[in-house]
């Protein structure tokens, strides 16, 4: 049965096309989001459209992280990739892409989500905030850093670390903006996973979670001003947004450093004591397991490795 048609309450006021399949949509709701601030960086809202070409399919709505900062005003930015292999016959991105400036759409006027600094580690936490972004998973971290910088252009951003992975250099949206914030202390590391198809690229290569491979993590620590082995919960917290594979592999590669996931299901599977505070957080819009918690061949070694790491940290 097709979804109920949506009453449009927002306007597309701008769009920035980085490639044919990667765009920032700037949306202005008819009624601004309420609250002070109207949303917290890291939260999301729901966008929706009616399928006018195939009305029998009705409408579609999807949650989208806000890439803009509350300080930017009422217009909301959404950093979105066109889905080439959709799981449904009515994908939102296929309806979004033909939109032109001035076109109307639906925006649920309620910000949702706890993937925020104050809901995770707390605003007063002084540790490095290592933000691991795969593709458009950059959006919540961009909102966070932009808000700090816009509230105070002289603010020190040195505890912020953004690792951003994409397939090609042109897919690294906001690269110039983030490189500019290095002058304020931001640690920004862009990487591409298909460097052979981008011969002019001179930066890091590999998937974003490859920064945590055993042979590379030491270099990352050095660039962050840490001694070898110091990237652990004493000095840093981890926040991840993006592909399920990126989330899962980051958890696996940082397990022996003692980083504890926030998710209760993972904590139970890893047998983490209740009094151990979480130090690894991730944004997930579905229930797909990021690691196979029911596979004892995987979980047994992980459990032992994490227990050893936590015991070692408690002795330091």
């Amino acid at each position: 049965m097709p979804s109920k048609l949506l009453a449009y309450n927002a306007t597309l006021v701008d769009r920035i096309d980085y490639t044919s399949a990667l765009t920032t949509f700037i949306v202005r709701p008819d009624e601004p989001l309420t609250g002070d601030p109207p949303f917290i960086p890291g939260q999301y809202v729901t966008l929706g459209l009616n399928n006018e070409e195939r009305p029998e399919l009705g409408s579609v709505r999807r949650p989208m992280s806000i890439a803009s900062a509350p300080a930017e005003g009422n217009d909301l930015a959404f950093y979105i990739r066109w889905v080439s292999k959709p799981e449904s016959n009515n994908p939102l991105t296929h309806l979004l892409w033909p939109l032109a400036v001035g076109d109307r759409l639906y925006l649920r006027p309620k910000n949702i989500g706890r993937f925020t600094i104050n809901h995770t580690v707390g605003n007063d936490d002084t540790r490095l905030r290592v933000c691991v972004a795969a593709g458009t998973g950059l959006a919540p971290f961009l909102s966070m850093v932009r808000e700090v910088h816009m509230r105070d252009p002289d603010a020190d951003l040195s505890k912020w670390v953004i690792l951003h992975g994409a397939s090609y250099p042109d897919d690294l949206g906001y690269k110039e903006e983030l490189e500019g914030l290095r002058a304020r202390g931001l640690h920004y590391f862009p990487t591409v996973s298909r460097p052979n198809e981008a011969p002019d690229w001179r930066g890091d290569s590999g998937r974003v979670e490859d920064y945590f491979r055993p042979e590379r993590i030491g270099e990352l620590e050095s660039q962050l001003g840490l001694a070898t082995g110091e990237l652990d919960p004493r000095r840093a917290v981890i926040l991840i947004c993006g592909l399920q594979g990126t989330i899962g592999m980051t958890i696996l590669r940082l397990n022996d450093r003692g980083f504890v996931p926030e998710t209760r299901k993972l904590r139970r599977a890893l047998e983490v004591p209740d009094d151990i505070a979480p130090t690894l957080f991730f944004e997930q819009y579905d229930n797909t397991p990021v690691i196979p918690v029911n596979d004892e061949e995987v979980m047994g070694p992980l459990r032992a490795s994490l227990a050893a790491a936590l015991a070692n940290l408690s002795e330091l």
Side-chain angles (χ1 to χ4, degrees):
M1 184 175 180
S3 302
K4 182 180 178 180
L5 292 181
L6 300 167
Y8 290 167
N9 61 352
T11 302
L12 179 68
V13 295
D14 197 6
R15 60 180 293 169
I16 304 166
D17 297 306
Y18 307 100
T19 71
S20 61
L22 184 65
T23 295
T24 290
F25 294 88
I26 312 295
V27 178
R28 180 176 299 161
D30 295 347
E31 298 293 333
L33 299 183
T34 59
D36 185 19
F39 66 92
I40 302 172
Q43 291 189 313
Y44 61 90
V45 296
T46 297
L47 297 181
L49 284 163
N50 300 319
N51 195 324
E52 297 179 3
E53 289 191 5
R54 297 185 62 189
E56 72 276 10
L57 295 178
S59 63
V60 59
R61 292 179 287 181
R62 291 289 182 270
M64 296 289 178
S65 291
I66 303 170
S68 49
E72 293 182 68
N74 298 329
D75 294 353
L76 305 176
F78 302 93
Y79 183 47
I80 302 174
R81 173 168 290 283
W82 189 79
V83 178
S84 59
K85 297 179 180 178
E87 296 180 357
S88 76
N89 63 351
N90 196 23
L92 177 64
T93 60
H94 290 211
L95 304 181
L96 271 174
W97 244 249
L99 294 186
V101 171
D103 285 345
R104 301 279 286 166
L105 68 160
Y106 170 81
L107 185 149
R108 184 170 183 248
K110 182 176 176 59
N111 48 299
I112 301 172
R114 298 179 64 82
F115 189 66
T116 67
I117 294 300
N118 56 321
H119 284 135
T120 53
V121 299
N123 289 320
D124 295 330
D125 194 284
T126 59
R127 290 173 291 182
L128 288 171
R129 299 166 179 179
V130 181
C131 305
V132 185
T136 55
L138 177 68
F141 305 132
L142 182 68
S143 179
M144 294 173 187
V145 171
R146 273 182 160 181
E147 180 69 359
V148 175
H149 181 63
M150 294 187 73
R151 293 290 182 188
D152 179 5
D154 295 323
D156 179 11
L157 299 178
S158 61
K159 69 179 177 181
W160 290 92
V161 182
I162 293 183
L163 312 177
H164 185 206
S167 296
Y168 307 101
D170 288 346
D171 294 335
L172 292 167
Y174 299 97
K175 180 174 178 288
E176 291 186 3
E177 177 180 341
L178 294 172
E179 285 179 334
L181 291 178
R182 285 173 171 161
R184 305 308 317 154
L186 176 69
H187 304 279
Y188 170 58
F189 299 86
T191 182
V192 301
S193 60
R194 299 181 181 179
N196 293 337
E197 299 174 48
D200 294 333
W201 175 251
R202 297 293 181 267
D204 292 340
S205 62
R207 294 173 62 89
V208 67
E209 60 268 28
D210 289 346
Y211 282 112
F212 306 119
R213 293 176 67 93
E215 65 272 20
R216 291 189 63 182
I217 194 168
E219 179 183 354
L220 177 63
E221 288 173 318
S222 176
Q223 291 173 307
L224 295 178
L226 301 175
T228 300
E230 277 196 334
L231 184 60
D232 64 32
R234 296 170 300 167
R235 300 295 305 273
V237 293
I238 309 296
L239 301 105
I240 319 165
C241 187
L243 302 171
Q244 300 301 106
T246 292
I247 297 171
M249 190 56 68
T250 300
I251 292 172
L252 294 176
R253 288 180 176 161
L254 291 177
N255 183 73
D256 64 0
R257 294 293 182 113
F259 288 100
V260 172
E262 177 191 33
T263 309
R264 277 181 286 184
K265 187 173 184 179
L266 282 177
R267 289 177 66 95
R268 287 196 300 267
L270 291 166
E271 298 180 358
V272 177
D274 291 341
D275 61 341
I276 301 292
T279 48
L280 186 149
F281 308 85
F282 57 87
E283 180 72 295
Q284 184 179 19
Y285 296 128
D286 58 38
N287 296 318
T288 305
V290 294
I291 58 175
V293 294
N294 296 320
D295 187 340
E296 190 57 26
E297 290 188 6
V298 173
M299 297 308 300
L302 283 178
R303 210 175 289 125
S305 175
L306 181 58
L310 292 174
N312 181 58
L313 288 171
S314 67
E315 295 174 358
L316 297 176

